[in-house]
Amino acid sequence: MKNDCIFCAIVAGEIPSFKVYEDDFVLAYLDINPFTKGHVLVIPKTHSTGLLDTDDDALAAVVMRVKKVAAHMKASLPCDGFNILQNNGEAAGQTVKHLHFHIIPRYAGEPLAFESHKGDMSELAALANRLRM
Ligand code: AMP
Ligand code: ZN
């Protein structure tokens, strides 16, 4: 696996993902351990570990796609709101050392928990089909 990085392996197609959006710069796919239904990760195709070692232009490109994907998720899940989460360093809970933005959909009346749950593969596949842009 290139760099020993699981997200680079997803970009390279070496590991499958529940893809939602892709262009020349980014890939967006469902988190397999979602906090809530429809939890998506947006990553740059070029490897950097976090916010601080990402080139400004690359970062701007990713954030623009985060907005685009979040708008699509809000309308088509649909959800009532969403959190953007981006962890830097183990102390902050970062487990995968490839820059990623979490888009965590929120549904009115549900508890505002930041806790992952093992995803059901068939449910994830159905959600990815619904969300694919
Ligand atoms: P973080 O704690 O910000 O580093 O989050 C990494 C996220 O990546 C976690 O929420 C994991 O559930 C998620 N994750 C790890 N491996 C995969 C994978 N193969 N496909 C989708 N999401 C993954
Ligand atoms: Zn990587």
mmCIF file of all heavy atoms in Angstrom, residues 35-80:
data_model
loop_
_atom_site.group_PDB
_atom_site.id
_atom_site.type_symbol
_atom_site.label_atom_id
_atom_site.label_comp_id
_atom_site.label_asym_id
_atom_site.label_seq_id
_atom_site.Cartn_x
_atom_site.Cartn_y
_atom_site.Cartn_z
ATOM 1 N N PHE A 35 -20.952 8.455 12.760
ATOM 2 C CA PHE A 35 -21.562 9.044 13.960
ATOM 3 C C PHE A 35 -23.071 9.047 13.772
ATOM 4 O O PHE A 35 -23.810 8.791 14.717
ATOM 5 C CB PHE A 35 -21.098 10.493 14.151
ATOM 6 C CG PHE A 35 -19.673 10.675 14.640
ATOM 7 C CD1 PHE A 35 -18.734 9.670 14.551
ATOM 8 C CD2 PHE A 35 -19.281 11.891 15.189
ATOM 9 C CE1 PHE A 35 -17.427 9.855 15.000
ATOM 10 C CE2 PHE A 35 -17.982 12.095 15.642
ATOM 11 C CZ PHE A 35 -17.059 11.079 15.548
ATOM 12 N N THR A 36 -23.500 9.413 12.554
ATOM 13 C CA THR A 36 -24.938 9.479 12.236
ATOM 14 C C THR A 36 -25.114 8.960 10.808
ATOM 15 O O THR A 36 -24.132 8.796 10.063
ATOM 16 C CB THR A 36 -25.453 10.934 12.282
ATOM 17 O OG1 THR A 36 -24.742 11.703 11.313
ATOM 18 C CG2 THR A 36 -25.289 11.567 13.658
ATOM 19 N N LYS A 37 -26.360 8.767 10.413
ATOM 20 C CA LYS A 37 -26.670 8.242 9.072
ATOM 21 C C LYS A 37 -26.214 9.245 7.992
ATOM 22 O O LYS A 37 -26.627 10.410 8.017
ATOM 23 C CB LYS A 37 -28.176 8.002 8.967
ATOM 24 C CG LYS A 37 -28.613 7.334 7.669
ATOM 25 C CD LYS A 37 -30.093 7.050 7.670
ATOM 26 C CE LYS A 37 -30.896 8.316 7.672
ATOM 27 N NZ LYS A 37 -31.715 8.604 6.548
ATOM 28 N N GLY A 38 -25.338 8.798 7.098
ATOM 29 C CA GLY A 38 -24.897 9.649 5.995
ATOM 30 C C GLY A 38 -23.593 10.385 6.253
ATOM 31 O O GLY A 38 -23.219 11.271 5.483
ATOM 32 N N HIS A 39 -22.892 10.015 7.316
ATOM 33 C CA HIS A 39 -21.586 10.626 7.675
ATOM 34 C C HIS A 39 -20.586 10.417 6.523
ATOM 35 O O HIS A 39 -20.301 9.297 6.131
ATOM 36 C CB HIS A 39 -21.119 9.943 8.959
ATOM 37 C CG HIS A 39 -19.820 10.411 9.539
ATOM 38 N ND1 HIS A 39 -19.486 10.134 10.847
ATOM 39 C CD2 HIS A 39 -18.765 11.093 9.028
ATOM 40 C CE1 HIS A 39 -18.281 10.630 11.112
ATOM 41 N NE2 HIS A 39 -17.825 11.215 10.018
ATOM 42 N N VAL A 40 -20.078 11.534 6.014
ATOM 43 C CA VAL A 40 -19.192 11.505 4.839
ATOM 44 C C VAL A 40 -17.811 12.054 5.198
ATOM 45 O O VAL A 40 -17.688 12.939 6.057
ATOM 46 C CB VAL A 40 -19.835 12.339 3.689
ATOM 47 C CG1 VAL A 40 -18.831 12.700 2.609
ATOM 48 C CG2 VAL A 40 -21.018 11.586 3.080
ATOM 49 N N LEU A 41 -16.791 11.542 4.542
ATOM 50 C CA LEU A 41 -15.433 12.084 4.638
ATOM 51 C C LEU A 41 -15.057 12.685 3.286
ATOM 52 O O LEU A 41 -15.329 12.065 2.247
ATOM 53 C CB LEU A 41 -14.426 10.976 4.974
ATOM 54 C CG LEU A 41 -14.669 10.204 6.273
ATOM 55 C CD1 LEU A 41 -13.657 9.055 6.388
ATOM 56 C CD2 LEU A 41 -14.555 11.121 7.491
ATOM 57 N N VAL A 42 -14.459 13.869 3.309
ATOM 58 C CA VAL A 42 -13.950 14.487 2.082
ATOM 59 C C VAL A 42 -12.433 14.583 2.221
ATOM 60 O O VAL A 42 -11.938 15.145 3.208
ATOM 61 C CB VAL A 42 -14.555 15.887 1.849
ATOM 62 C CG1 VAL A 42 -14.050 16.460 0.527
ATOM 63 C CG2 VAL A 42 -16.076 15.842 1.875
ATOM 64 N N ILE A 43 -11.719 14.028 1.246
ATOM 65 C CA ILE A 43 -10.248 14.019 1.323
ATOM 66 C C ILE A 43 -9.643 14.565 0.024
ATOM 67 O O ILE A 43 -10.218 14.395 -1.054
ATOM 68 C CB ILE A 43 -9.693 12.591 1.584
ATOM 69 C CG1 ILE A 43 -9.897 11.672 0.370
ATOM 70 C CG2 ILE A 43 -10.338 11.966 2.817
ATOM 71 C CD1 ILE A 43 -9.075 10.399 0.425
ATOM 72 N N PRO A 44 -8.459 15.204 0.131
ATOM 73 C CA PRO A 44 -7.745 15.555 -1.099
ATOM 74 C C PRO A 44 -7.117 14.291 -1.678
ATOM 75 O O PRO A 44 -6.755 13.375 -0.935
ATOM 76 C CB PRO A 44 -6.659 16.525 -0.612
ATOM 77 C CG PRO A 44 -6.412 16.137 0.814
ATOM 78 C CD PRO A 44 -7.716 15.595 1.341
ATOM 79 N N LYS A 45 -6.977 14.244 -2.993
ATOM 80 C CA LYS A 45 -6.357 13.067 -3.618
ATOM 81 C C LYS A 45 -4.856 13.033 -3.350
ATOM 82 O O LYS A 45 -4.242 11.969 -3.389
ATOM 83 C CB LYS A 45 -6.653 13.045 -5.118
ATOM 84 C CG LYS A 45 -8.097 12.675 -5.403
ATOM 85 C CD LYS A 45 -8.347 12.451 -6.877
ATOM 86 C CE LYS A 45 -9.683 11.755 -7.084
ATOM 87 N NZ LYS A 45 -9.985 11.570 -8.519
ATOM 88 N N THR A 46 -4.274 14.216 -3.121
ATOM 89 C CA THR A 46 -2.844 14.284 -2.806
ATOM 90 C C THR A 46 -2.661 14.166 -1.300
ATOM 91 O O THR A 46 -3.367 14.819 -0.529
ATOM 92 C CB THR A 46 -2.282 15.639 -3.287
ATOM 93 O OG1 THR A 46 -2.551 15.742 -4.681
ATOM 94 C CG2 THR A 46 -0.791 15.737 -3.056
ATOM 95 N N HIS A 47 -1.691 13.343 -0.895
ATOM 96 C CA HIS A 47 -1.489 13.095 0.534
ATOM 97 C C HIS A 47 -0.913 14.287 1.281
ATOM 98 O O HIS A 47 0.080 14.871 0.882
ATOM 99 C CB HIS A 47 -0.552 11.887 0.730
ATOM 100 C CG HIS A 47 -0.354 11.528 2.177
ATOM 101 N ND1 HIS A 47 -1.181 10.650 2.834
ATOM 102 C CD2 HIS A 47 0.548 11.966 3.089
ATOM 103 C CE1 HIS A 47 -0.782 10.537 4.090
ATOM 104 N NE2 HIS A 47 0.262 11.328 4.269
ATOM 105 N N SER A 48 -1.582 14.649 2.376
ATOM 106 C CA SER A 48 -0.974 15.488 3.418
ATOM 107 C C SER A 48 -1.573 14.943 4.703
ATOM 108 O O SER A 48 -2.592 14.235 4.658
ATOM 109 C CB SER A 48 -1.303 16.971 3.220
ATOM 110 O OG SER A 48 -2.695 17.189 3.210
ATOM 111 N N THR A 49 -0.948 15.216 5.833
ATOM 112 C CA THR A 49 -1.423 14.528 7.040
ATOM 113 C C THR A 49 -2.545 15.282 7.750
ATOM 114 O O THR A 49 -3.377 14.668 8.417
ATOM 115 C CB THR A 49 -0.273 14.274 8.038
ATOM 116 O OG1 THR A 49 0.256 15.527 8.438
ATOM 117 C CG2 THR A 49 0.827 13.449 7.411
ATOM 118 N N GLY A 50 -2.540 16.606 7.622
ATOM 119 C CA GLY A 50 -3.550 17.373 8.349
ATOM 120 C C GLY A 50 -3.597 18.797 7.824
ATOM 121 O O GLY A 50 -3.044 19.108 6.764
ATOM 122 N N LEU A 51 -4.233 19.663 8.608
ATOM 123 C CA LEU A 51 -4.448 21.045 8.176
ATOM 124 C C LEU A 51 -3.128 21.786 7.925
ATOM 125 O O LEU A 51 -2.991 22.525 6.957
ATOM 126 C CB LEU A 51 -5.251 21.779 9.267
ATOM 127 C CG LEU A 51 -5.834 23.119 8.867
ATOM 128 C CD1 LEU A 51 -7.053 22.928 7.972
ATOM 129 C CD2 LEU A 51 -6.225 23.921 10.107
ATOM 130 N N LEU A 52 -2.151 21.580 8.818
ATOM 131 C CA LEU A 52 -0.966 22.446 8.819
ATOM 132 C C LEU A 52 0.037 22.136 7.722
ATOM 133 O O LEU A 52 0.810 23.019 7.331
ATOM 134 C CB LEU A 52 -0.286 22.400 10.198
ATOM 135 C CG LEU A 52 -1.175 22.847 11.366
ATOM 136 C CD1 LEU A 52 -0.393 22.838 12.666
ATOM 137 C CD2 LEU A 52 -1.786 24.224 11.112
ATOM 138 N N ASP A 53 0.054 20.911 7.214
ATOM 139 C CA ASP A 53 1.009 20.593 6.138
ATOM 140 C C ASP A 53 0.322 20.551 4.774
ATOM 141 O O ASP A 53 0.882 20.041 3.814
ATOM 142 C CB ASP A 53 1.754 19.270 6.420
ATOM 143 C CG ASP A 53 0.838 18.060 6.414
ATOM 144 O OD1 ASP A 53 -0.368 18.218 6.655
ATOM 145 O OD2 ASP A 53 1.336 16.947 6.156
ATOM 146 N N THR A 54 -0.875 21.093 4.690
ATOM 147 C CA THR A 54 -1.580 21.141 3.405
ATOM 148 C C THR A 54 -1.369 22.497 2.753
ATOM 149 O O THR A 54 -1.558 23.538 3.397
ATOM 150 C CB THR A 54 -3.089 20.881 3.617
ATOM 151 O OG1 THR A 54 -3.256 19.625 4.261
ATOM 152 C CG2 THR A 54 -3.838 20.871 2.296
ATOM 153 N N ASP A 55 -0.983 22.467 1.513
ATOM 154 C CA ASP A 55 -0.792 23.666 0.708
ATOM 155 C C ASP A 55 -2.107 24.483 0.675
ATOM 156 O O ASP A 55 -3.189 23.906 0.597
ATOM 157 C CB ASP A 55 -0.402 23.128 -0.682
ATOM 158 C CG ASP A 55 -0.383 24.171 -1.722
ATOM 159 O OD1 ASP A 55 0.634 24.852 -1.812
ATOM 160 O OD2 ASP A 55 -1.387 24.298 -2.452
ATOM 161 N N ASP A 56 -1.997 25.803 0.769
ATOM 162 C CA ASP A 56 -3.198 26.657 0.861
ATOM 163 C C ASP A 56 -4.166 26.458 -0.304
ATOM 164 O O ASP A 56 -5.384 26.422 -0.106
ATOM 165 C CB ASP A 56 -2.796 28.145 0.907
ATOM 166 C CG ASP A 56 -2.246 28.560 2.263
ATOM 167 O OD1 ASP A 56 -2.293 27.742 3.210
ATOM 168 O OD2 ASP A 56 -1.759 29.699 2.369
ATOM 169 N N ASP A 57 -3.623 26.339 -1.513
ATOM 170 C CA ASP A 57 -4.513 26.168 -2.675
ATOM 171 C C ASP A 57 -5.245 24.833 -2.598
ATOM 172 O O ASP A 57 -6.443 24.748 -2.908
ATOM 173 C CB ASP A 57 -3.714 26.237 -3.983
ATOM 174 C CG ASP A 57 -3.209 27.641 -4.259
ATOM 175 O OD1 ASP A 57 -3.793 28.597 -3.710
ATOM 176 O OD2 ASP A 57 -2.228 27.782 -5.003
ATOM 177 N N ALA A 58 -4.528 23.792 -2.174
ATOM 178 C CA ALA A 58 -5.143 22.468 -2.046
ATOM 179 C C ALA A 58 -6.233 22.511 -0.972
ATOM 180 O O ALA A 58 -7.328 21.958 -1.142
ATOM 181 C CB ALA A 58 -4.081 21.432 -1.695
ATOM 182 N N LEU A 59 -5.930 23.212 0.116
ATOM 183 C CA LEU A 59 -6.895 23.308 1.217
ATOM 184 C C LEU A 59 -8.155 24.052 0.769
ATOM 185 O O LEU A 59 -9.285 23.609 1.048
ATOM 186 C CB LEU A 59 -6.240 24.027 2.402
ATOM 187 C CG LEU A 59 -7.075 24.116 3.667
ATOM 188 C CD1 LEU A 59 -7.391 22.726 4.212
ATOM 189 C CD2 LEU A 59 -6.330 24.935 4.719
ATOM 190 N N ALA A 60 -7.958 25.140 0.041
ATOM 191 C CA ALA A 60 -9.105 25.910 -0.449
ATOM 192 C C ALA A 60 -9.966 25.037 -1.355
ATOM 193 O O ALA A 60 -11.204 25.052 -1.262
ATOM 194 C CB ALA A 60 -8.626 27.152 -1.191
ATOM 195 N N ALA A 61 -9.313 24.256 -2.206
ATOM 196 C CA ALA A 61 -10.053 23.378 -3.122
ATOM 197 C C ALA A 61 -10.865 22.350 -2.339
ATOM 198 O O ALA A 61 -12.034 22.088 -2.658
ATOM 199 C CB ALA A 61 -9.076 22.682 -4.076
ATOM 200 N N VAL A 62 -10.282 21.799 -1.290
ATOM 201 C CA VAL A 62 -10.998 20.788 -0.504
ATOM 202 C C VAL A 62 -12.194 21.419 0.211
ATOM 203 O O VAL A 62 -13.301 20.877 0.183
ATOM 204 C CB VAL A 62 -10.069 20.093 0.528
ATOM 205 C CG1 VAL A 62 -10.857 19.079 1.357
ATOM 206 C CG2 VAL A 62 -8.920 19.389 -0.164
ATOM 207 N N VAL A 63 -11.971 22.587 0.814
ATOM 208 C CA VAL A 63 -13.060 23.219 1.577
ATOM 209 C C VAL A 63 -14.230 23.586 0.659
ATOM 210 O O VAL A 63 -15.406 23.432 1.028
ATOM 211 C CB VAL A 63 -12.544 24.446 2.365
ATOM 212 C CG1 VAL A 63 -13.691 25.232 2.986
ATOM 213 C CG2 VAL A 63 -11.581 23.995 3.461
ATOM 214 N N MET A 64 -13.916 24.018 -0.565
ATOM 215 C CA MET A 64 -15.004 24.311 -1.511
ATOM 216 C C MET A 64 -15.827 23.055 -1.808
ATOM 217 O O MET A 64 -17.057 23.117 -1.929
ATOM 218 C CB MET A 64 -14.427 24.880 -2.811
ATOM 219 C CG MET A 64 -13.990 26.333 -2.657
ATOM 220 S SD MET A 64 -12.941 26.877 -4.018
ATOM 221 C CE MET A 64 -14.063 26.713 -5.395
ATOM 222 N N ARG A 65 -15.134 21.922 -1.903
ATOM 223 C CA ARG A 65 -15.859 20.650 -2.153
ATOM 224 C C ARG A 65 -16.633 20.215 -0.908
ATOM 225 O O ARG A 65 -17.686 19.604 -1.024
ATOM 226 C CB ARG A 65 -14.891 19.531 -2.564
ATOM 227 C CG ARG A 65 -14.614 19.443 -4.050
ATOM 228 C CD ARG A 65 -13.914 20.628 -4.552
ATOM 229 N NE ARG A 65 -13.428 20.475 -5.921
ATOM 230 C CZ ARG A 65 -12.553 21.308 -6.454
ATOM 231 N NH1 ARG A 65 -12.062 22.328 -5.751
ATOM 232 N NH2 ARG A 65 -12.170 21.148 -7.701
ATOM 233 N N VAL A 66 -16.100 20.502 0.272
ATOM 234 C CA VAL A 66 -16.837 20.179 1.504
ATOM 235 C C VAL A 66 -18.191 20.908 1.464
ATOM 236 O O VAL A 66 -19.241 20.330 1.748
ATOM 237 C CB VAL A 66 -16.023 20.570 2.763
ATOM 238 C CG1 VAL A 66 -16.888 20.499 4.019
ATOM 239 C CG2 VAL A 66 -14.802 19.664 2.909
ATOM 240 N N LYS A 67 -18.157 22.176 1.069
ATOM 241 C CA LYS A 67 -19.396 22.957 0.979
ATOM 242 C C LYS A 67 -20.355 22.342 -0.040
ATOM 243 O O LYS A 67 -21.555 22.172 0.236
ATOM 244 C CB LYS A 67 -19.069 24.405 0.592
ATOM 245 C CG LYS A 67 -20.298 25.274 0.421
ATOM 246 C CD LYS A 67 -19.906 26.688 0.006
ATOM 247 C CE LYS A 67 -21.155 27.536 -0.226
ATOM 248 N NZ LYS A 67 -20.800 28.893 -0.699
ATOM 249 N N LYS A 68 -19.822 21.994 -1.195
ATOM 250 C CA LYS A 68 -20.650 21.432 -2.276
ATOM 251 C C LYS A 68 -21.295 20.108 -1.846
ATOM 252 O O LYS A 68 -22.499 19.895 -2.038
ATOM 253 C CB LYS A 68 -19.722 21.215 -3.484
ATOM 254 C CG LYS A 68 -20.334 20.675 -4.743
ATOM 255 C CD LYS A 68 -19.180 20.451 -5.747
ATOM 256 C CE LYS A 68 -19.604 19.686 -6.957
ATOM 257 N NZ LYS A 68 -19.927 20.545 -8.089
ATOM 258 N N VAL A 69 -20.500 19.235 -1.235
ATOM 259 C CA VAL A 69 -21.017 17.927 -0.826
ATOM 260 C C VAL A 69 -22.021 18.102 0.318
ATOM 261 O O VAL A 69 -23.078 17.458 0.344
ATOM 262 C CB VAL A 69 -19.859 16.974 -0.428
ATOM 263 C CG1 VAL A 69 -20.391 15.671 0.138
ATOM 264 C CG2 VAL A 69 -18.950 16.699 -1.624
ATOM 265 N N ALA A 70 -21.711 19.003 1.268
ATOM 266 C CA ALA A 70 -22.618 19.223 2.403
ATOM 267 C C ALA A 70 -23.968 19.755 1.927
ATOM 268 O O ALA A 70 -25.023 19.331 2.426
ATOM 269 C CB ALA A 70 -21.983 20.190 3.410
ATOM 270 N N ALA A 71 -23.944 20.668 0.962
ATOM 271 C CA ALA A 71 -25.203 21.213 0.436
ATOM 272 C C ALA A 71 -26.029 20.094 -0.195
ATOM 273 O O ALA A 71 -27.253 20.006 0.006
ATOM 274 C CB ALA A 71 -24.912 22.308 -0.593
ATOM 275 N N HIS A 72 -25.362 19.237 -0.938
ATOM 276 C CA HIS A 72 -26.045 18.107 -1.571
ATOM 277 C C HIS A 72 -26.609 17.157 -0.514
ATOM 278 O O HIS A 72 -27.757 16.705 -0.620
ATOM 279 C CB HIS A 72 -25.064 17.368 -2.485
ATOM 280 C CG HIS A 72 -25.617 16.122 -3.075
ATOM 281 N ND1 HIS A 72 -26.561 16.129 -4.081
ATOM 282 C CD2 HIS A 72 -25.388 14.812 -2.781
ATOM 283 C CE1 HIS A 72 -26.872 14.880 -4.382
ATOM 284 N NE2 HIS A 72 -26.181 14.063 -3.611
ATOM 285 N N MET A 73 -25.837 16.869 0.515
ATOM 286 C CA MET A 73 -26.301 15.970 1.577
ATOM 287 C C MET A 73 -27.514 16.554 2.292
ATOM 288 O O MET A 73 -28.475 15.848 2.586
ATOM 289 C CB MET A 73 -25.180 15.753 2.606
ATOM 290 C CG MET A 73 -24.049 14.875 2.089
ATOM 291 S SD MET A 73 -22.574 14.972 3.132
ATOM 292 C CE MET A 73 -23.213 14.393 4.706
ATOM 293 N N LYS A 74 -27.461 17.861 2.581
ATOM 294 C CA LYS A 74 -28.562 18.496 3.322
ATOM 295 C C LYS A 74 -29.862 18.346 2.542
ATOM 296 O O LYS A 74 -30.908 18.020 3.108
ATOM 297 C CB LYS A 74 -28.242 19.968 3.590
ATOM 298 C CG LYS A 74 -29.219 20.624 4.536
ATOM 299 C CD LYS A 74 -28.622 21.856 5.179
ATOM 300 C CE LYS A 74 -29.516 22.384 6.292
ATOM 301 N NZ LYS A 74 -30.800 22.906 5.810
ATOM 302 N N ALA A 75 -29.765 18.543 1.226
ATOM 303 C CA ALA A 75 -30.972 18.466 0.398
ATOM 304 C C ALA A 75 -31.411 17.038 0.143
ATOM 305 O O ALA A 75 -32.606 16.753 0.090
ATOM 306 C CB ALA A 75 -30.713 19.177 -0.928
ATOM 307 N N SER A 76 -30.470 16.116 -0.021
ATOM 308 C CA SER A 76 -30.912 14.795 -0.483
ATOM 309 C C SER A 76 -30.959 13.710 0.570
ATOM 310 O O SER A 76 -31.572 12.671 0.322
ATOM 311 C CB SER A 76 -30.130 14.334 -1.708
ATOM 312 O OG SER A 76 -28.807 14.656 -1.592
ATOM 313 N N LEU A 77 -30.379 13.937 1.761
ATOM 314 C CA LEU A 77 -30.577 12.886 2.777
ATOM 315 C C LEU A 77 -32.055 12.800 3.181
ATOM 316 O O LEU A 77 -32.600 11.675 3.161
ATOM 317 C CB LEU A 77 -29.675 13.155 3.995
ATOM 318 C CG LEU A 77 -28.244 12.638 3.879
ATOM 319 C CD1 LEU A 77 -27.362 13.217 4.951
ATOM 320 C CD2 LEU A 77 -28.212 11.122 3.911
ATOM 321 N N PRO A 78 -32.739 13.873 3.483
ATOM 322 C CA PRO A 78 -32.216 15.179 3.852
ATOM 323 C C PRO A 78 -31.846 15.180 5.333
ATOM 324 O O PRO A 78 -32.257 14.306 6.070
ATOM 325 C CB PRO A 78 -33.404 16.099 3.592
ATOM 326 C CG PRO A 78 -34.616 15.255 3.833
ATOM 327 C CD PRO A 78 -34.221 13.832 3.544
ATOM 328 N N CYS A 79 -31.048 16.200 5.746
ATOM 329 C CA CYS A 79 -30.759 16.357 7.169
ATOM 330 C C CYS A 79 -31.092 17.793 7.561
ATOM 331 O O CYS A 79 -31.295 18.643 6.705
ATOM 332 C CB CYS A 79 -29.309 15.999 7.476
ATOM 333 S SG CYS A 79 -28.071 16.996 6.631
ATOM 334 N N ASP A 80 -31.154 18.027 8.866
ATOM 335 C CA ASP A 80 -31.570 19.337 9.363
ATOM 336 C C ASP A 80 -30.396 20.268 9.606
ATOM 337 O O ASP A 80 -30.564 21.491 9.678
ATOM 338 C CB ASP A 80 -32.365 19.155 10.663
ATOM 339 C CG ASP A 80 -33.598 18.295 10.436
ATOM 340 O OD1 ASP A 80 -34.398 18.647 9.548
ATOM 341 O OD2 ASP A 80 -33.734 17.247 11.099
#
